[in-house]
Amino acid sequence: TIRLKTQQSYDSSIRTTAPAAAATTTLRVDNASTTTTPSLSSSSSSARTTTATTTTMSNTRTNTMASWMAILLLLSFISILPAQAFTLAPRNLAQRQHRLRLSTSNDNDEFTVGILGDLHMDPRKMQDYHQGRQHFLNIFEQAKQQQQQQQKHGHHSNNNVALVSLGDLGESKSVRPQETNELFAGTTECHELAAEYLQSFGVPYEVVGGNHDLEGLDEFSTDEANLQAFLKIHRKPSPQFLRTIAPKTLLVGLSSTVFRGAKYTSHEVTIDPAQIDWFEQVLHQHPAREGWKIFVATHAPPLGSGLRTLQENHVVNGCCWLNHSNARQSRRFIQLVRDHRCIKCWFSGHFHLGQDYLDSISFPTTNGSSQRGSCVFVQTSVMR
């Protein structure tokens, strides 16, 4: 279990527990709009974030041990209050009760979001996906029950439970090798299976495209045709998405739209200029000074995120970071993070790494450099 508790001033406490290993890390990061210091500053609002991670170990096709992992993000945002109204961790019962009364006095702003890493679905091995889904279903059911209770007590609550898939939906090989050599990833059959699976979680879902999601080479002759099939099957009006999940809180996703037309490697995760411009406009329209909080989802992380990478694989092949081969575009993402403190968290997959590394999650810097703005970057591993 990984728990992250944050305020606008990012007084954060991290607890990590994994099979056969446990570690505890505590840090404090100021999330003021202009400076970062190790001390807690005044803030007009606060947030509490909980990430629950479930890991099961299984044998891979190479007979090595690897984990499938699914991250569930539970984000509960407390009503906007003066910093003096309560402490981050009240020391006595009276303080905790006072905080509870204050935080429930306005409309409900709690929400639950499940974050799925690379699925690489194989119709021959659905048992693994059904097992992983069950962990999410239990938590989603609890969240929906809580939402119903809050509605009974007169608190407005709507569409505050959702699922986000980080792409790479299908296995990049034939799933019927005795019949065909056609790759499964990117095909109509692949996206229909993935859409059915994502819908089975029983909550609205969003999905971003990864480097394998336009890989239907035998079925589609162009990236444009493959992309249109992807959008149609997942009922997406555009490659990007924006979902309001709570008051002044957005989920934003950007998709890779280039495979056949890649300049160097087809497995570079490329966000087209139109999406980048749209993303920047969203950030300008939802500034941190007005209390907005934005959580971003892309298949690969941006350059400068500080997450662990695979030097011998993704780095040398030019498919490690978003728009890796375009120096100007690849730097633009992290610059947006630095310029817009409304970006609070950025989820990515792609590397097939789990949360067993200290650098699978990175945090805003505390030395005043603001290299990662106010953003926590999270590496999300594969489901199977």
Side-chain angles (χ1 to χ4, degrees), residues 21 73 99 152 212 305 359:
L73 175 67
R99 171 177 174 176
K152 289 181 180 178
H212 287 289
S305 62
D359 47 1

Side-chain angles (χ1 to χ4, degrees), residues 180-198:
T180 178
N181 291 324
E182 181 184 18
L183 301 179
F184 185 64
T187 62
T188 296
E189 181 185 4
C190 167
H191 287 303
E192 288 178 344
L193 176 65
E196 180 182 3
Y197 177 71
L198 294 172

Side-chain angles (χ1 to χ4, degrees), residues 133-150:
R133 178 183 59 193
Q134 191 57 47
H135 295 286
F136 284 82
L137 293 181
N138 295 337
I139 300 175
F140 283 148
E141 185 60 32
Q142 294 175 13
K144 288 188 284 188
Q145 290 177 0
Q146 181 181 5
Q147 177 180 330
Q148 293 171 357
Q149 290 296 321
Q150 290 165 340

Side-chain angles (χ1 to χ4, degrees), residues 81 252 260:
L81 299 168
V252 173
R260 298 157 187 79

Side-chain angles (χ1 to χ4, degrees), residues 106-108 148-157:
N106 297 320
D107 287 347
N108 173 52
Q148 293 171 357
Q149 290 296 321
Q150 290 165 340
Q151 289 173 338
K152 289 181 180 178
H153 289 85
H155 297 287
H156 176 71
S157 179

